[in-house]
């Protein structure tokens, strides 16, 4: 294993963004960026051993901080996904978070992802990024320090360990927002990827995609990925939890999930290249988002590639969206003052 550091670019505010590339014995590599503690690129082999980049992203650094471009590869916090009315009550106190989309909070208000993180530690096979968020930043309680450690190994597994410490009890829902296209060619739609999700329920949502507190059964609906089939098979079927034309952007409730215990959440497979990705997590939910809100015209991506509608699929491990408003109904664990809160997600790449 080896690690290499390079300069990427400067943000408009003058902050410079660095890249760390970890390469394993097979030549597979992951490139991590200090901006948003993000995944910048990920080269893994196809069934013939040919390496290609399987994640979307940009050469133009400012595209990463444009919320309309979908948080490509970034770490999301303090609370990923939605908070209804930008408001929640926790420990008897009501907190107000930014309504950065419609009437709700999306991805903690956004700022958390769009800053350069400190690089705390690196080794041949890992990088630890660190970010401090002061008490009441974006309305969230607690002086809050989050660390994200990426570890890559010779078996082509990328592990993400999140560690949080706060001086007050608080809430946290960290995730990573990478868009995968296992073909390595993002002119190809992800509708042809095969997917399995280990969930027989999903969180029901209203017309603003905000949870209603109810869980729906996937059985007999277009939401069912309990056996592996193409994402595109039913993506445009009309269904109550789907916005027309957008396709999947839903939280699945992983079955038999014990918070803190790792298990397989999803399997994504591209038949043509033979690349397969398994997602493991210790969290109870996973958001399937197929890039349906991305521009139908394209945005220039890395190395002449494109970022566009349905050209990447995000599998965001998480507590269910808006769990802060359903602590008695949804499975959730909060951060206790001065106690380390940890969660882990793994993306494992093989071929078939
Ligand atoms: C959300 C989408 C959103 C995307 C990019 C996903 O987690 O569910 O609605 O468009 O993130 O912000």
């Amino acid at each position: 294993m080896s690690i290499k550091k390079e300069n990427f670019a400067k943000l408009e505010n003058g902050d410079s963004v660095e890249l760390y590339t970890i390469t394993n014995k097979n030549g597979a590599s992951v490139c991590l960026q200090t901006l948003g503690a993000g995944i910048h690129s990920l080269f893994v082999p196809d069934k013939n051993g040919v390496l290609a980049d399987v994640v979307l992203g940009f050469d133009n650094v400012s595209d990463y901080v444009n919320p309309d471009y979908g948080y490509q590869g970034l770490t999301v916090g303090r609370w990923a996904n939605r908070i209804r009315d930008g408001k929640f009550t926790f420990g008897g106190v009501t907190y107000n978070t930014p309504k950065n989309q419609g009437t709700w909070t999306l991805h903690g208000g956004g700022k958390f992802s769009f800053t350069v993180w400190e690089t705390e530690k690196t080794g041949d096979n890992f990088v630890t990024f660190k970010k401090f968020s002061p008490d009441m930043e974006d309305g969230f309680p607690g002086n809050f320090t989050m660390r994200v450690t990426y570890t890559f190994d010779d078996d082509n597994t990328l592990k993400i360990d999140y560690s949080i410490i706060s001086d007050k009890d608080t809430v946290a829902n960290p995730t990573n927002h990478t868009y995968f296209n296992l073909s390595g060619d993002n002119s190809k739609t992800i509708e042809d990827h095969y997917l399995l999700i280990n969930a027989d329920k999903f969180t029901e949502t209203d017309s603003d995609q905000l949870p209603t507190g109810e869980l729906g059964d996937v059985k007999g609906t277009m939401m069912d990925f309990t056996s592996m089939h193409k994402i595109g098979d039913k993506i445009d079927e009309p269904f109550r939890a789907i916005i027309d034309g957008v396709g999947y952007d839903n939280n699945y409730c992983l079955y038999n999930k014990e918070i803190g215990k790792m298990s397989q959440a999803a399997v994504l497979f591209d038949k043509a290249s033979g690349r397969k990705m398994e997602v493991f997590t210790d969290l109870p939910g996973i958001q399937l988002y197929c890039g349906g809100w991305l521009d139908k015209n394209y945005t220039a991506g890395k190395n002449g590639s494109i970022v566009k509608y349905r050209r990447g699929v995000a599998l965001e491990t998480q507590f269910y969206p808006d769990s802060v408003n359903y602590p008695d109904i949804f499975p959730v664990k909060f951060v206790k003052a001065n106690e380390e809160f940890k969660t882990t997600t793994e993306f494992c790449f093989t071929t078939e």
Side-chain angles (χ1 to χ4, degrees):
M1 306 290 307
S2 69
I3 189 162
K4 184 181 84 184
K5 178 182 175 189
E6 289 162 278
N7 180 256
F8 175 30
K10 263 196 168 52
L11 286 171
E12 254 167 44
N13 67 7
D15 288 353
S16 58
V17 179
E18 314 296 331
L19 300 176
Y20 290 87
T21 305
I22 303 171
T23 307
N24 70 16
K25 69 166 193 237
N26 319 309
S29 63
V30 60
C31 178
L32 306 159
Q33 62 180 36
T34 54
L35 175 58
I39 300 176
H40 185 81
S41 60
L42 183 54
F43 284 81
V44 289
D46 69 4
K47 59 188 176 196
N48 301 315
V50 179
L51 297 170
D53 189 1
V54 296
V55 307
L56 272 53
F58 304 107
D59 280 339
N60 179 3
V61 73
S62 57
D63 290 342
Y64 281 103
V65 297
N66 180 341
D68 291 340
Y69 290 174
Y71 297 71
Q72 300 285 334
L74 306 180
T75 296
V76 179
R78 293 187 190 189
W79 188 275
N81 215 297
R82 290 155 177 81
I83 299 177
R84 184 182 286 273
D85 296 331
K87 201 163 88 180
F88 64 95
T89 300
F90 177 73
V93 180
T94 298
Y95 295 97
N96 293 287
T97 51
K99 294 178 186 170
N100 60 325
Q101 206 183 58
T103 55
W104 58 94
T105 304
L106 179 72
H107 297 332
K111 272 201 298 226
F112 199 82
S113 300
F114 299 149
T115 55
V116 172
W117 291 44
E118 182 192 323
T119 307
E120 189 179 48
K121 233 173 157 185
T122 65
D124 284 350
N125 64 344
F126 77 92
V127 180
T128 302
F129 297 117
K130 175 179 161 188
K131 178 175 168 65
F132 173 70
S133 170
D135 189 26
M136 295 309 287
E137 185 176 51
D138 286 334
F140 292 98
N143 286 301
F144 182 97
T145 301
M146 179 154 142
R147 290 179 172 82
V148 178
T149 300
Y150 289 99
T151 310
F152 193 51
D153 71 15
D154 283 328
D155 296 324
N156 302 336
T157 290
L158 178 65
K159 178 154 80 98
I160 313 178
D161 290 304
Y162 302 87
S163 153
I164 290 162
I165 191 99
S166 164
D167 64 353
K168 284 192 189 146
D169 286 359
T170 191
V171 304
N173 194 10
T175 195
N176 175 276
H177 211 301
T178 293
Y179 295 71
F180 297 93
N181 187 321
L182 299 182
S183 73
D185 170 3
N186 45 28
S187 68
K188 291 195 177 137
T189 174
I190 50 78
E191 288 157 81
D192 292 331
H193 280 41
Y194 289 74
L195 180 67
L196 172 131
I197 304 179
N198 287 310
D200 50 11
K201 295 209 182 317
F202 65 97
T203 40
E204 293 275 8
T205 45
D206 65 13
S207 56
D208 285 329
Q209 296 183 274
L210 295 162
T212 59
E214 287 147 332
L215 305 184
D217 283 318
V218 301
K219 202 161 182 238
T221 78
M222 54 102 70
M223 300 295 288
D224 193 349
F225 282 99
T226 53
S227 62
M228 199 167 223
H229 66 88
K230 272 193 190 176
I231 291 177
D233 283 347
K234 294 187 177 169
I235 193 169
D236 286 317
E237 262 188 22
F239 186 66
R240 60 181 185 276
I242 300 281
I243 311 257
D244 277 352
V246 172
Y248 299 105
D249 186 9
N250 303 84
N251 172 65
Y252 283 81
C253 312
L254 300 171
Y255 33 58
N256 302 324
K257 195 67 204 184
E258 202 183 300
I259 295 174
K261 201 167 158 222
M262 291 295 277
S263 65
Q264 188 196 62
V267 185
L268 185 68
F269 177 57
D270 173 48
K271 205 170 192 172
S273 67
R275 290 192 186 90
K276 184 165 124 183
M277 178 180 87
E278 283 173 273
V279 185
F280 292 86
T281 183
D282 57 7
L283 292 177
I286 192 165
Q287 185 84 6
L288 166 63
Y289 172 52
C290 295
W293 292 110
L294 294 175
D295 207 327
K296 288 194 174 162
N297 297 311
Y298 73 92
T299 312
K302 289 171 289 182
N303 295 317
S305 70
I306 56 167
V307 172
K308 177 176 167 166
Y309 179 77
R310 295 191 185 168
R311 293 303 197 268
V313 50
L315 288 161
E316 307 152 52
T317 55
Q318 60 186 356
F319 290 118
Y320 304 173
D322 204 23
S323 290
V324 283
N325 282 310
Y326 297 99
D328 302 326
I329 300 181
F330 292 168
V332 60
K333 191 181 148 204
F334 295 121
V335 180
K336 287 232 170 5
N338 304 313
E339 260 181 42
E340 189 186 16
F341 170 101
K342 285 159 81 166
T343 167
T344 298
T345 289
E346 280 177 5
F347 297 111
C348 308
F349 296 89
T350 51
T351 57
E352 206 174 280

